[in-house]
Amino acid sequence: MRVPFTRSRLQPAGARPHSPAAAGRAVPSARSGGTRLGSGARRDARRRGGALMLGVAMLAALGLTACGSSDDGDSATPSDSASFAPGTTMARLHDAGKITIGTKFDQNYFGLKNLSGKPEGFDVEIAKIITDGLGIPRDHVNFVETVSANREPFIQQGRVDMVVATYTINDKRKKAVDFAGPYFIAGQSIMVAKNNTTITGKDSLAGKKVCSVSGSTPAENIRKVAPAAQLVLFDGYSKCADALKNGQVDAVTTDSVILLGIIDKDPEAFKLVGGTFTREPYGIGIHKGDTAFRTFINDTLEAAYKDGRWAKAFSSTVGKVVPNTPTPPPVDRYTS
Amino acid sequence: MPSGRNPGQGSTAIDAVLDNLDIFAEGFRRTVALSVLAAVAALLVGTALAAMRVSPVPPLRWFGTAYVQTVRNTPLTVMFFFVVFVLPQVGVVFSYFVFAVVALSIYHAALVCEAVRSGINGVDVGQAEAARALGLTFSQNLRLIVLPQAFRNVLQPLGSVLSALIRNTSIAAAFGVQELTGVVQRLTTANPDSVIAVLLGGMVGYLILTLALAGALALAERRAVTIR
C-alpha cells in the first residue's frame, strides 16, 4: 500500500499535467475526501474543457497546413488517422497524446520491470495494442505500478486510465470497475518439490503447508478448494519458492503461468501437479460506466485476435514458458 | 467523460468490515500476541545488552556495542528475511510466528538497549559510587540502584520504541504470519468495492493497541513521579 501512493505522487504530477488534482490529492478518507474529490473533478473538467478547445484549434491549424503539402505530417503515431467521437475517453486520450496505465511491476511474463525500469510482459504488450489503436506514441505511454489491492481505487480516482495487471474479472470487482476483454484465461495450479510423490493435486493437500501471496485471489481460492490445507502467506512468489526449496512448505499455488516461470528458472527443483483447477479470465479494468471506451478496447482486442498481433504478443512473453499459443478467449460484452 | 463517482461507498462498505469481524479478530489477536511477546523479549534482551555495555568486562562491552551497531543499522525487512530464510538453511526451523517474534525481538532489543543506556547515563554518578561504597556488587548496584532510576528516566523513549514495535509487527504479514495487516490485504482483495472501509478497520485495530500502550505509559509516568 505504501509504495504505490508515493510512486503515484511522484509520477503523475509530471506525467499528467492536465490533472494536477490527482497529484496533490491525498488518500481520501471515506467522508472528508468526498468534497475534495468533488471540487477536484470540477477543476479537472474545466481544464479538460480548455484542453479540448486548444486541441480543436490545433487540429484546425494542422488541417490547414495539411492542405498545402500532403506528406509533411511526421507520422510518429502508429495510427494518425484514428478519429473518435468528441467527448469520449478515446478522443480525450488521443488528443492528449498520452495515457497512464496501471500494470504489475513484479509479475514475470505479464508485467515485470526490467533493468532499464520499463515493465515487460504480456499485459504490457496488450496495453500497447490498445494504445496503438488510440494513436498514442509508444514513448508517451506511462506505466505505473498497480498491486492487487489498489487497482480499483486507482481506476476510481482517475490515477490511471486503464489497468492491465493480471486482473481477474469477477462479479464483485464489476461493482467497482468495468472490464474489457478477457484477453487471456489463466488457471490456478499447484507446484511441489520434484521428488514429492504424496501431493498429486488439490485433493491431497489436507494438513499440508501450502504457500501463496497474502491478499491474492489464488490464496482465497485455495481456502475454498482445500480448506484442510495449512495456508502460509508471503508477499511474493519468489519467497514461496525459497520456502518450498527449504522444505518449510509443501506446495506453492497460484496461476500456472507464474509457476511455470518459476520452474523454468529451476527445473531440477520443482514440478507442477494436478493440472489447473480454476478459470481466471484476465480483463482490462476501466472506469465504471465508460461503455464507449470498453467497446473500443473490445473491438481493438478482436482486431488483434484476427490479424495475429495477439498471438505475437503471447509468443514473445508467456510463450517463453507455454510453448503452445492458445486460441484467444472471446471478449465478454456483458451488460451490467 | 467519467466523473468522480465512488460506487460501493455507504452501507455496503461497512458490511465488508462487519461481515468479517471474526477474521479481523483473528488477525488482531495475532498482532497482539506478536506485540506482547516481542515487547517482553525485547525489553529483557535490551536491558541485558545495556548492562553489558556499561559493565566492567571489556568483551561484554564489545559484544553489546557490536550487537547494537549491527542490528540497529539493518532494515527490519532484511532482519526478517535473514531469520525466516537463512536460519532454516543452518537447521534452525520454527513456525513462522516464532520466527516473526524472534526477528522483532532481535531488532527492537537494540533500540531498547540504547534507550536504557541513555537512562543509565542520566543517573547521577554519586548514586552508583555510594552503592559501591556500601559494598554492593556490580549486579546489585545495577539491579537495585541504577536501573530503577534509569527506567524512570526513559519511559517516554521506551514508549516510542514499543509503539514502533506494534506497528512494525505488520512486516510479519509478508513473512508467513496472517496478522492484522495480512487480514487487511486479504479482505481488500475479497471486497474491492469497499477497500477504504477495510483499511479503516485495520487502522482502528492498530489504534486500539497503540492507544492502550499510551494509556499504560501515562499511568506509569504518573507513578514514577510520585515515587520521586
Side-chain angles (χ1 to χ4, degrees):
Chain A
M1 222 113 304
R2 297 175 302 254
V3 177
F5 283 136
T6 38
R7 191 185 296 285
S8 61
R9 206 174 292 142
L10 290 176
Q11 286 186 344
R16 308 182 58 207
H18 66 279
S19 95
R25 201 180 293 153
V27 187
S29 71
R31 266 180 226 116
S32 71
T35 52
R36 219 178 302 149
L37 264 175
S39 66
R42 267 199 305 280
R43 212 180 325 145
D44 263 9
R46 219 178 302 139
R47 295 208 178 213
R48 267 184 216 140
L52 205 72
M53 296 285 277
L54 195 69
V56 169
M58 279 165 67
L59 275 179
L62 268 178
L64 285 175
T65 51
C67 287
S69 59
S70 60
D71 62 350
D72 79 353
D74 57 356
S75 75
T77 59
S79 56
D80 270 348
S81 58
S83 68
F84 303 101
T88 59
T89 306
M90 293 83 81
R92 173 172 65 85
L93 294 171
H94 175 75
D95 294 348
K98 61 189 154 204
I99 186 169
T100 304
I101 297 174
T103 192
K104 296 268 178 86
F105 277 9
D106 60 351
Q107 201 82 286
N108 210 350
Y109 306 103
F110 285 94
L112 182 70
K113 210 171 177 177
N114 66 16
L115 291 177
S116 59
K118 291 203 171 102
E120 288 176 343
F122 189 49
D123 284 345
V124 175
E125 293 306 311
I126 291 293
K128 284 176 184 166
I129 288 175
I130 309 299
T131 58
D132 285 352
L134 286 167
I136 297 170
R138 291 264 173 108
D139 54 344
H140 287 195
V141 178
N142 179 28
F143 285 101
V144 298
E145 181 175 25
T146 47
V147 297
S148 294
N150 69 16
R151 289 176 295 199
E152 290 85 10
F154 269 36
I155 292 172
Q156 289 173 342
Q157 295 161 9
R159 288 168 184 244
V160 295
D161 296 303
M162 62 183 197
V163 165
V164 196
T166 63
Y167 203 178
T168 302
I169 302 174
N170 65 35
D171 287 343
K172 266 206 159 163
R173 287 174 180 165
K174 277 184 192 168
K175 282 188 203 159
V177 300
D178 264 338
F179 287 101
Y183 58 92
F184 183 69
I185 306 288
Q188 192 171 339
S189 189
I190 293 163
M191 180 174 85
V192 295
K194 192 125 199 181
N195 57 9
N196 186 319
T197 51
T198 53
I199 298 176
T200 53
K202 65 182 168 62
D203 299 320
S204 48
L205 289 175
K208 303 287 184 191
K209 284 185 184 154
V210 182
C211 191
S212 197
V213 162
S214 181
S216 68
T217 309
E220 282 310 296
N221 288 339
I222 202 72
R223 276 182 223 268
K224 289 180 205 124
V225 171
Q230 203 184 323
L231 201 51
V232 176
L233 300 173
F234 289 109
D235 62 344
Y237 293 111
S238 54
K239 283 188 187 150
C240 281
D242 281 347
L244 182 58
K245 222 172 181 181
N246 283 343
Q248 290 168 280
V249 299
D250 303 300
V252 178
T253 185
T254 183
D255 294 342
S256 60
V257 173
I258 294 167
L259 294 178
L260 285 168
I262 297 172
I263 294 173
D264 187 55
K265 285 192 189 122
D266 206 345
E268 299 306 310
F270 310 120
K271 65 177 179 188
L272 282 193
V273 291
T276 57
F277 57 88
T278 63
R279 194 176 167 282
E280 314 274 354
Y282 285 173
I284 297 173
I286 56 167
H287 207 283
K288 184 154 178 66
D290 196 349
T291 313
F293 193 33
R294 186 152 67 96
T295 305
F296 167 78
I297 296 175
N298 281 333
D299 292 346
T300 309
L301 281 176
E302 276 179 348
Y305 289 174
K306 280 200 194 91
D307 63 17
R309 279 179 296 154
W310 183 90
K312 193 162 160 266
F314 185 90
S315 58
S316 67
T317 54
V318 180
K320 287 176 190 161
V321 285
V322 180
N324 300 322
T325 302
T327 322
V331 298
D332 177 10
R333 296 171 191 267
Y334 65 89
T335 48
S336 47
Chain B
M1 201 175 298
S3 60
R5 257 163 306 171
N6 266 329
Q9 301 289 331
S11 66
T12 51
I14 303 304
D15 288 345
V17 177
L18 297 181
D19 292 350
N20 296 302
L21 269 186
D22 51 332
I23 300 178
F24 261 112
E26 195 190 316
F28 182 69
R29 264 203 304 278
R30 281 212 188 97
T31 293
V32 174
L34 276 179
S35 304
V36 171
L37 290 174
V40 170
L43 283 174
L44 291 176
V45 176
T47 308
L49 282 169
M52 284 182 190
R53 289 201 72 173
V54 297
S55 81
V57 188
L60 287 182
R61 282 208 302 273
W62 297 333
F63 174 80
T65 308
Y67 181 101
V68 168
Q69 293 305 346
T70 317
V71 171
R72 201 175 50 166
N73 294 313
T74 307
L76 183 51
T77 316
V78 174
M79 182 65 66
F80 260 95
F81 202 90
F82 178 84
V83 169
V84 174
F85 289 106
V86 180
L87 288 189
Q89 296 196 350
V90 294
V92 185
V93 179
F94 294 114
S95 75
Y96 289 109
F97 180 83
V98 174
F99 273 144
V101 172
V102 169
L104 287 166
S105 309
I106 291 175
Y107 182 80
H108 292 90
L111 305 182
V112 168
C113 166
E114 288 305 272
V116 171
R117 197 166 66 95
S118 79
I120 292 174
N121 290 338
V123 175
D124 196 290
V125 184
Q127 296 275 328
E129 282 173 354
R132 216 167 35 232
L134 286 171
L136 269 63
T137 64
F138 172 75
S139 76
Q140 282 174 326
N141 195 340
L142 206 60
R143 248 183 324 120
L144 303 173
I145 309 297
V146 177
L147 275 182
Q149 301 182 63
F151 272 110
R152 275 214 299 275
N153 289 343
V154 293
L155 274 177
Q156 291 89 341
L158 270 185
S160 302
V161 171
L162 294 181
S163 165
L165 185 150
I166 290 172
R167 285 169 280 129
N168 284 341
T169 56
S170 60
I171 294 181
F175 291 89
V177 182
Q178 269 299 86
E179 41 62 81
L180 194 51
T181 300
V183 164
V184 166
Q185 284 171 348
R186 178 185 166 189
L187 292 180
T188 47
T189 313
N191 304 282
D193 46 346
S194 36
V195 169
I196 288 169
V198 173
L199 287 176
L200 284 176
M203 207 176 80
V204 168
Y206 284 106
L207 273 180
I208 291 173
L209 273 175
T210 48
L211 289 181
L213 174 73
L217 275 171
L219 268 180
E221 268 178 47
R222 222 173 301 152
R223 274 197 54 195
V225 169
T226 47
I227 290 171
R228 211 175 276 157

